[in-house]
Amino acid sequence: MNKDEISDMGPIGVFDSGFGGLSILRDLRQVLPQYDYLFLGDNARAPYGSRSYQLVYEFTLQAVKYLFSRGCRLVILACNTASAKALRTIQQRDLPTLDPSRRVLGVIRPTAEQAGRLSHTGHVGVFGTPGTIGSGSYDIEIKKLHEGFHVYGHACPMWVPLVENRESDGPGADYFVKKDVEALLSQSPLIDAIILGCTHYPLLLDKIRRYVPDGVKIVGQGAIVADSLRDYLMRHPEMERRLSRGGTCEYLTTEEPEKFSPLASVFVREPVSAAHVTLA
Ligand code: DGL
């Protein structure tokens, strides 16, 4: 490998509004451990779930530009809200001027692709933030890919704050999870698969399992996104060649690292020592 090729290589950027994207990062590193990763959490401005299209777009674009400036050739928006509200505009409007050779990928499309495999009845439930559910992105993507499918969305505005505030194991979480599970399942008795359409929600999995009847699958996105990225890189060797392979992982947060690192360590199940960044 010559010098030019090496200087054209960089880590995979993984972005989320907060901690949730770490649940995706963990699976990415398990399936594709050979690459370097740079995680960025915009914790100081999380949650994004109830923010306007314009703000989610502006914040996400700032994050993407920052990750590009740190050498990332490929950025995964490990956030459904950002994927629903900002991804398309960034791909279509910003990327061509920023750098057409770089890529920004989201988490909704790969998850929607799997719906046909996950549901036998064709009736799929989706939990998400108000932003994701309100955007109709899952409904649109799943129906585009799987004819005749029915999609039932339910927004859970309290779930992200429960996770961000380390309340996901407490009795408050039981109250909200039970209420939201019942609200989703009351939309159709035929729902046999529920997509956790927010990367924070796997942290509430134990609680969710408690209230979802046996026989209804609960689908997290980590493994789906990781498998989808592996396939993407096989189909795009020109991008794969530009990913550095040191097996490292760095963490960045817009919040104070002393606040971020302890909870981040819980998500990724290893010690995290994050650095602070300011996005503008
Ligand atoms: N984890 C993000 C998602 O997947 C968003 C959480 C939030 O900031 O509201 O939607």
Side-chain angles (χ1 to χ4, degrees):
M1 203 174 292
N2 67 38
K3 258 210 256 143
D4 286 349
E5 280 170 329
I6 291 172
S7 68
D8 189 39
M9 293 168 88
I12 299 175
V14 180
F15 169 69
D16 184 33
S17 60
F19 292 105
L22 295 168
S23 67
I24 302 282
L25 178 69
R26 211 177 47 213
D27 282 291
L28 289 173
R29 292 184 68 201
Q30 226 156 56
V31 173
L32 301 163
Q34 65 272 41
Y35 302 116
D36 294 314
Y37 292 88
L38 183 57
F39 178 85
L40 170 57
D42 191 7
N43 301 74
R45 301 188 293 193
Y48 280 11
S50 305
R51 292 192 186 274
S52 67
Y53 267 87
Q54 186 57 29
L55 272 184
V56 172
Y57 163 68
E58 278 171 23
F59 291 173
T60 306
L61 182 59
Q62 289 170 359
V64 166
K65 283 182 177 169
Y66 182 81
L67 289 167
F68 281 0
S69 78
R70 293 285 307 262
C72 298
R73 268 63 184 171
L74 173 66
V75 172
I76 309 293
L77 300 185
C79 174
N80 289 266
T81 311
S83 300
K85 291 187 158 186
L87 178 63
R88 190 173 297 254
T89 313
I90 290 175
Q91 284 175 332
Q92 293 179 356
R93 201 170 70 193
D94 299 298
L95 217 43
T97 48
L98 284 175
D99 183 343
S101 77
R102 302 199 193 202
R103 288 289 171 269
V104 181
L105 305 174
V107 291
I108 293 181
R109 174 80 188 198
T111 310
E113 280 171 2
Q114 297 303 317
R117 191 178 55 79
L118 299 166
S119 170
H120 296 300
T121 61
H123 291 252
V124 178
V126 182
F127 284 129
T129 66
T132 300
I133 299 302
S135 73
S137 299
Y138 273 101
D139 194 64
I140 296 165
E141 292 293 335
I142 291 175
K143 286 178 178 166
K144 208 185 318 174
L145 296 163
H146 308 285
E147 218 187 308
F149 265 55
H150 302 264
V151 181
Y152 308 88
H154 180 74
C156 310
M158 291 306 294
W159 290 18
V160 171
L162 284 168
V163 172
E164 292 277 325
N165 292 293
R166 309 185 73 161
E167 287 289 340
S168 47
D169 293 330
D174 279 284
Y175 172 80
F176 286 107
V177 169
K178 180 171 185 290
K179 183 166 84 76
D180 287 319
V181 166
E182 284 170 2
L184 176 67
L185 292 177
S186 72
Q187 294 184 54
S188 168
L190 296 175
I191 295 172
D192 67 345
I194 299 176
I195 293 171
L196 301 184
C198 172
T199 54
H200 280 67
Y201 295 174
L203 267 282
L204 286 161
L205 191 58
D206 289 343
K207 299 281 188 202
I208 300 168
R209 274 214 188 97
R210 195 174 290 175
Y211 301 106
V212 170
D214 293 344
V216 177
K217 277 190 209 94
I218 304 169
V219 184
Q221 298 177 287
I224 292 175
V225 172
D227 287 347
S228 162
L229 181 60
R230 190 188 44 212
D231 290 352
Y232 175 87
L233 294 175
M234 272 159 54
R235 285 182 282 112
H236 294 275
E238 77 291 351
M239 173 57 72
E240 202 279 335
R241 275 196 296 274
R242 299 177 77 198
L243 303 178
S244 56
R245 294 166 162 258
T248 67
C249 187
E250 261 188 82
Y251 298 89
L252 306 170
T253 175
T254 55
E255 187 41 281
E256 288 166 17
E258 302 71 39
K259 275 193 185 169
F260 174 85
S261 298
L263 185 52
S265 312
V266 175
F267 270 83
V268 295
R269 298 182 194 139
E270 64 177 35
V272 167
S273 173
H276 178 262
V277 293
T278 304
L279 296 178

